[in-house]
């Protein structure tokens, strides 16, 4: 750690200044409110290079001698020119995976963190005299302009559009890193003075980088081009898709652009078309609920609904059910927006609103294909709901999703859409509500029995778990990025419609009465109860369960 006293001592020992001139410079610096080194040079008391050499030594930084500097071309390519100019940071050397940049202020070493994400490697700072630094950055900019002009004159692509262009590398690195960290979403969010990039990992957002606000325009343009969107349109929301290849697997990136106060916010959902296919067991579906669900999906007709908020794993659960039912003697057709995962042996159809190919239109066409099982990605309106009900009543097994908080609310939601209660009562076989909770990391978990008050907060009787307990505490390690959790599993609320419930629906009973009856008479376990079982079995924690249930 440096100090002003160290710098003053080095100036005297190096013969750069004598004691009288140093005292005068210090007085002037204090009057002007500027750093001592810049005051010394401004007063013409010493050579700028000699002063900055002492300054570098005082701060423990390497010194870049302007007379001996030769910028390595590989280093210059690691950063975009606008970032070099904006940060006044000159890339000079790339050695052993480390990019060395020259700056003129020892207090600006923080730029190394900002630029490391952009360069895709470790960045270290060295000190260089300000006049020489500005001159070399100006020359670098002039050279780039001439090179771009020459390229344009030849009819070739601009240098910035090449495969090694920094903004292209930034996008590629962001997506590759997100996939490596098991992120489900990438959020690019502009603010007044910075650009924030966050990943959603196991349902929780984590800030990865804070970049210069000047990167927003080129980054947005690059992502829009990749997603097939209109780069000139900045006033309206846009949706598109990016197709990637990672480790031999096809990755589908659903891209959403939303105009905001400081620029366009971009959210990219990463869908691994193979990795996302799970079994019901892998989802955490076990016990009585799983047996009841399997009996429901084995029926020849009726509607099976899966409900929950966005990102609660509804589609993954339906895919798991379809995989189990997928046999050579069964015809399965899906209508999805978008087709998230490819399943062999199933006919999957993509909704295309622009050409009028809606859920309702696909559903009507499906029925002429004589399917046994139909999946409608989401029931969004009355028309789709009514066709789904008619399909269920005419001998088809229909799977779909709804956005409701619990299982009984799905019934009232269908009625609110305009479907007659007697049709809902006759067609719906079961409703499954679900959430996702994080699984405790197996590498750093620690056995721990929570206190009685904590157990009661999730409805667990402390006396029931007084003996040996599998409950654990989340600690955190390198493998789980210090979060204490790695991966997720579902908690479920399964409501099967039996005769008494159907009569209540026919009479128009509210969701609260349906819930009470399903819980006391129909054997329904609530989300909290299923989550509590997974806490007691050591798969998740009370804190995680309450976070998810409270959020819902």
């Amino acid at each position: 750690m440096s100090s002003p006293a160290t710098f003053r001592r080095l100036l005297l020992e190096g013969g750069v200044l004598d004691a009288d001139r140093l005292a005068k410079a210090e007085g002037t610096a204090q009057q002007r409110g500027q750093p001592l080194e810049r005051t010394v040079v401004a007063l013409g008391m010493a050579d700028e290079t000699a002063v900055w050499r002492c300054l570098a030594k005082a701060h423990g930084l390497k010194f870049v001698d302007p007379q001996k500097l030769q910028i390595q071309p590989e280093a210059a390519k690691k950063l975009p020119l606008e970032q070099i100019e904006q940060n006044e940071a000159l890339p000079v050397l790339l050695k052993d995976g480390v990019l060395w940049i020259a700056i003129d202020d020892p207090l600006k070493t923080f730029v190394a963190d900002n630029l490391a994400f952009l360069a895709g490697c470790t960045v270290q700072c060295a000190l260089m005299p300000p006049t020489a630094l500005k001159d070399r950055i100006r020359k670098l900019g002039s050279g780039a302009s001439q090179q771009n002009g020459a390229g344009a004159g030849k009819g070739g692509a601009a240098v910035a559009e090449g495969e090694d262009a920094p903004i292209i590398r930034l996008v590629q690195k962001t997506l590759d890193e997100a996939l490596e960290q098991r992120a489900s979403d990438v959020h690019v969010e502009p603010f007044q003075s910075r650009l924030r990039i966050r990943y959603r990992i196991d349902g929780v957002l984590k800030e990865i980088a804070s970049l210069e606000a000047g990167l927003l325009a080129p980054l947005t343009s690059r992502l829009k081009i990749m997603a097939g969107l209109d780069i000139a349109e900045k006033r309206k929301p846009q949706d598109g898709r990016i197709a990637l290849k990672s480790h031999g697997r096809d990755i589908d990136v659903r891209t959403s652009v939303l105009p905001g106060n400081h620029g366009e916010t971009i959210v990219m959902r990463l869908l691994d078309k193979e990795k996302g296919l799970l079994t019901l067991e892998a989802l955490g579906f076990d016990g009585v609920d799983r047996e009841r669900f399997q009996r429901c999906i084995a029926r020849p007709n009726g509607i099976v609904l899966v409900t929950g908020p966005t990102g609660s794993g509804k589609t993954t659960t339906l895919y798991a059910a379809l995989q189990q039912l997928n046999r050579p003697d069964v015809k399965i057709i899906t209508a999805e927006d978008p087709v998230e995962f490819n399943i062999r042996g199933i006919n999957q159809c993509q909704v295309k609103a622009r050409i009028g190919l809606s859920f309702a239109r696909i559903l009507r066409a499906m029925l002429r294909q004589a399917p046994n099982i139909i999946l409608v990605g989401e029931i969004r309106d009355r028309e789709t709901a009514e066709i789904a009900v008619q399909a269920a009543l005419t001998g088809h097994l229909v799977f779909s999703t709804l956005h409701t908080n619990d299982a009984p609310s799905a019934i009232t939601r269908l009625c609110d859409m305009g479907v007659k209660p007697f049709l809902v009562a006759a067609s719906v076989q079961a409703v499954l509500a679900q959430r996702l909770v994080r699984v405790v990391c197996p590498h750093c978990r620690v056995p721990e029995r929570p206190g009685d008050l904590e157990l009661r907060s999730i409805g667990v009787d402390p006396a029931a778990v007084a003996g040996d307990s599998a409950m654990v505490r989340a600690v955190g390690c390198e493998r789980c990025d210090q979060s204490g959790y790695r991966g997720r599993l579902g908690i479920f609320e399964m409501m099967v419609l039996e005769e008494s419930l159907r009569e209540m629906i026919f009479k128009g009973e509210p969701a609260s009465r349906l819930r009470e009856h399903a819980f006391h008479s129909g054997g329904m376990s609530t989300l909290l109860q299923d989550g509590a079982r997974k806490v007691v079995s050591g798969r998740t924690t009370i804190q995680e369960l309450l976070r998810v249930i409270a959020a819902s």
Side-chain angles (χ1 to χ4, degrees), residues 427-441:
S427 61
V428 177
Q429 296 289 351
V431 183
L432 178 72
Q434 71 176 71
R435 300 290 187 277
L436 294 176
V437 294
R438 290 181 293 172
V439 179
V440 181
C441 175

PDB file of all heavy atoms in Angstrom, residues 427-441:
ATOM      1  N   SER A 427     -64.812 -32.300 -17.413  1.00  0.00           N
ATOM      2  CA  SER A 427     -63.613 -32.550 -18.230  1.00  0.00           C
ATOM      3  C   SER A 427     -62.306 -32.619 -17.453  1.00  0.00           C
ATOM      4  O   SER A 427     -61.413 -33.406 -17.807  1.00  0.00           O
ATOM      5  CB  SER A 427     -63.501 -31.467 -19.315  1.00  0.00           C
ATOM      6  OG  SER A 427     -63.381 -30.183 -18.721  1.00  0.00           O
ATOM      7  N   VAL A 428     -62.155 -31.826 -16.407  1.00  0.00           N
ATOM      8  CA  VAL A 428     -60.878 -31.778 -15.699  1.00  0.00           C
ATOM      9  C   VAL A 428     -60.719 -32.997 -14.797  1.00  0.00           C
ATOM     10  O   VAL A 428     -61.599 -33.309 -13.985  1.00  0.00           O
ATOM     11  CB  VAL A 428     -60.753 -30.481 -14.858  1.00  0.00           C
ATOM     12  CG1 VAL A 428     -59.443 -30.488 -14.068  1.00  0.00           C
ATOM     13  CG2 VAL A 428     -60.810 -29.259 -15.773  1.00  0.00           C
ATOM     14  N   GLN A 429     -59.592 -33.693 -14.953  1.00  0.00           N
ATOM     15  CA  GLN A 429     -59.315 -34.870 -14.135  1.00  0.00           C
ATOM     16  C   GLN A 429     -58.491 -34.527 -12.896  1.00  0.00           C
ATOM     17  O   GLN A 429     -58.724 -35.055 -11.814  1.00  0.00           O
ATOM     18  CB  GLN A 429     -58.537 -35.914 -14.956  1.00  0.00           C
ATOM     19  CG  GLN A 429     -59.289 -36.478 -16.137  1.00  0.00           C
ATOM     20  CD  GLN A 429     -60.422 -37.391 -15.713  1.00  0.00           C
ATOM     21  OE1 GLN A 429     -60.550 -37.733 -14.547  1.00  0.00           O
ATOM     22  NE2 GLN A 429     -61.272 -37.770 -16.661  1.00  0.00           N
ATOM     23  N   ALA A 430     -57.494 -33.645 -13.086  1.00  0.00           N
ATOM     24  CA  ALA A 430     -56.605 -33.314 -11.972  1.00  0.00           C
ATOM     25  C   ALA A 430     -55.911 -31.991 -12.241  1.00  0.00           C
ATOM     26  O   ALA A 430     -55.740 -31.586 -13.396  1.00  0.00           O
ATOM     27  CB  ALA A 430     -55.574 -34.419 -11.758  1.00  0.00           C
ATOM     28  N   VAL A 431     -55.515 -31.319 -11.137  1.00  0.00           N
ATOM     29  CA  VAL A 431     -54.735 -30.089 -11.238  1.00  0.00           C
ATOM     30  C   VAL A 431     -53.505 -30.244 -10.344  1.00  0.00           C
ATOM     31  O   VAL A 431     -53.627 -30.635  -9.172  1.00  0.00           O
ATOM     32  CB  VAL A 431     -55.541 -28.855 -10.795  1.00  0.00           C
ATOM     33  CG1 VAL A 431     -54.702 -27.590 -10.990  1.00  0.00           C
ATOM     34  CG2 VAL A 431     -56.848 -28.749 -11.560  1.00  0.00           C
ATOM     35  N   LEU A 432     -52.353 -29.939 -10.916  1.00  0.00           N
ATOM     36  CA  LEU A 432     -51.099 -30.041 -10.177  1.00  0.00           C
ATOM     37  C   LEU A 432     -50.474 -28.649 -10.076  1.00  0.00           C
ATOM     38  O   LEU A 432     -50.148 -28.035 -11.092  1.00  0.00           O
ATOM     39  CB  LEU A 432     -50.132 -30.986 -10.903  1.00  0.00           C
ATOM     40  CG  LEU A 432     -48.744 -31.152 -10.280  1.00  0.00           C
ATOM     41  CD1 LEU A 432     -48.827 -31.961  -8.997  1.00  0.00           C
ATOM     42  CD2 LEU A 432     -47.789 -31.827 -11.254  1.00  0.00           C
ATOM     43  N   ALA A 433     -50.354 -28.130  -8.856  1.00  0.00           N
ATOM     44  CA  ALA A 433     -49.636 -26.861  -8.645  1.00  0.00           C
ATOM     45  C   ALA A 433     -48.216 -27.190  -8.223  1.00  0.00           C
ATOM     46  O   ALA A 433     -47.992 -28.167  -7.506  1.00  0.00           O
ATOM     47  CB  ALA A 433     -50.333 -26.030  -7.568  1.00  0.00           C
ATOM     48  N   GLN A 434     -47.253 -26.378  -8.640  1.00  0.00           N
ATOM     49  CA  GLN A 434     -45.865 -26.673  -8.280  1.00  0.00           C
ATOM     50  C   GLN A 434     -45.012 -25.424  -8.163  1.00  0.00           C
ATOM     51  O   GLN A 434     -45.339 -24.359  -8.682  1.00  0.00           O
ATOM     52  CB  GLN A 434     -45.244 -27.638  -9.284  1.00  0.00           C
ATOM     53  CG  GLN A 434     -44.963 -27.058 -10.661  1.00  0.00           C
ATOM     54  CD  GLN A 434     -44.253 -28.075 -11.554  1.00  0.00           C
ATOM     55  OE1 GLN A 434     -44.853 -29.059 -11.979  1.00  0.00           O
ATOM     56  NE2 GLN A 434     -42.988 -27.827 -11.826  1.00  0.00           N
ATOM     57  N   ARG A 435     -43.901 -25.578  -7.442  1.00  0.00           N
ATOM     58  CA  ARG A 435     -42.846 -24.576  -7.319  1.00  0.00           C
ATOM     59  C   ARG A 435     -41.512 -25.315  -7.385  1.00  0.00           C
ATOM     60  O   ARG A 435     -41.474 -26.544  -7.249  1.00  0.00           O
ATOM     61  CB  ARG A 435     -42.924 -23.813  -5.982  1.00  0.00           C
ATOM     62  CG  ARG A 435     -44.194 -23.055  -5.735  1.00  0.00           C
ATOM     63  CD  ARG A 435     -44.341 -21.842  -6.637  1.00  0.00           C
ATOM     64  NE  ARG A 435     -45.507 -21.069  -6.247  1.00  0.00           N
ATOM     65  CZ  ARG A 435     -46.738 -21.334  -6.620  1.00  0.00           C
ATOM     66  NH1 ARG A 435     -46.989 -22.367  -7.404  1.00  0.00           N
ATOM     67  NH2 ARG A 435     -47.755 -20.586  -6.220  1.00  0.00           N
ATOM     68  N   LEU A 436     -40.445 -24.563  -7.529  1.00  0.00           N
ATOM     69  CA  LEU A 436     -39.107 -25.147  -7.508  1.00  0.00           C
ATOM     70  C   LEU A 436     -38.326 -24.610  -6.321  1.00  0.00           C
ATOM     71  O   LEU A 436     -38.283 -23.389  -6.102  1.00  0.00           O
ATOM     72  CB  LEU A 436     -38.357 -24.822  -8.812  1.00  0.00           C
ATOM     73  CG  LEU A 436     -38.927 -25.446 -10.090  1.00  0.00           C
ATOM     74  CD1 LEU A 436     -38.151 -24.946 -11.302  1.00  0.00           C
ATOM     75  CD2 LEU A 436     -38.882 -26.965 -10.034  1.00  0.00           C
ATOM     76  N   VAL A 437     -37.720 -25.504  -5.557  1.00  0.00           N
ATOM     77  CA  VAL A 437     -36.849 -25.109  -4.444  1.00  0.00           C
ATOM     78  C   VAL A 437     -35.435 -25.593  -4.746  1.00  0.00           C
ATOM     79  O   VAL A 437     -35.245 -26.600  -5.429  1.00  0.00           O
ATOM     80  CB  VAL A 437     -37.322 -25.691  -3.093  1.00  0.00           C
ATOM     81  CG1 VAL A 437     -38.649 -25.113  -2.682  1.00  0.00           C
ATOM     82  CG2 VAL A 437     -37.395 -27.213  -3.138  1.00  0.00           C
ATOM     83  N   ARG A 438     -34.454 -24.871  -4.230  1.00  0.00           N
ATOM     84  CA  ARG A 438     -33.064 -25.251  -4.451  1.00  0.00           C
ATOM     85  C   ARG A 438     -32.681 -26.448  -3.578  1.00  0.00           C
ATOM     86  O   ARG A 438     -33.108 -26.553  -2.430  1.00  0.00           O
ATOM     87  CB  ARG A 438     -32.139 -24.078  -4.170  1.00  0.00           C
ATOM     88  CG  ARG A 438     -32.245 -22.960  -5.183  1.00  0.00           C
ATOM     89  CD  ARG A 438     -31.289 -21.819  -4.880  1.00  0.00           C
ATOM     90  NE  ARG A 438     -31.643 -21.134  -3.650  1.00  0.00           N
ATOM     91  CZ  ARG A 438     -30.901 -20.195  -3.072  1.00  0.00           C
ATOM     92  NH1 ARG A 438     -29.757 -19.850  -3.621  1.00  0.00           N
ATOM     93  NH2 ARG A 438     -31.307 -19.613  -1.965  1.00  0.00           N
ATOM     94  N   VAL A 439     -31.852 -27.316  -4.140  1.00  0.00           N
ATOM     95  CA  VAL A 439     -31.373 -28.506  -3.430  1.00  0.00           C
ATOM     96  C   VAL A 439     -30.071 -28.157  -2.714  1.00  0.00           C
ATOM     97  O   VAL A 439     -29.199 -27.493  -3.282  1.00  0.00           O
ATOM     98  CB  VAL A 439     -31.133 -29.669  -4.421  1.00  0.00           C
ATOM     99  CG1 VAL A 439     -30.604 -30.902  -3.695  1.00  0.00           C
ATOM    100  CG2 VAL A 439     -32.417 -30.000  -5.160  1.00  0.00           C
ATOM    101  N   VAL A 440     -29.932 -28.618  -1.479  1.00  0.00           N
ATOM    102  CA  VAL A 440     -28.715 -28.357  -0.717  1.00  0.00           C
ATOM    103  C   VAL A 440     -27.530 -29.020  -1.418  1.00  0.00           C
ATOM    104  O   VAL A 440     -27.612 -30.176  -1.861  1.00  0.00           O
ATOM    105  CB  VAL A 440     -28.842 -28.890   0.722  1.00  0.00           C
ATOM    106  CG1 VAL A 440     -27.575 -28.589   1.516  1.00  0.00           C
ATOM    107  CG2 VAL A 440     -30.038 -28.266   1.411  1.00  0.00           C
ATOM    108  N   CYS A 441     -26.428 -28.288  -1.543  1.00  0.00           N
ATOM    109  CA  CYS A 441     -25.225 -28.799  -2.218  1.00  0.00           C
ATOM    110  C   CYS A 441     -24.712 -30.043  -1.488  1.00  0.00           C
ATOM    111  O   CYS A 441     -24.470 -29.997  -0.271  1.00  0.00           O
ATOM    112  CB  CYS A 441     -24.142 -27.718  -2.239  1.00  0.00           C
ATOM    113  SG  CYS A 441     -22.556 -28.281  -2.911  1.00  0.00           S
TER     114      CYS A 441
END
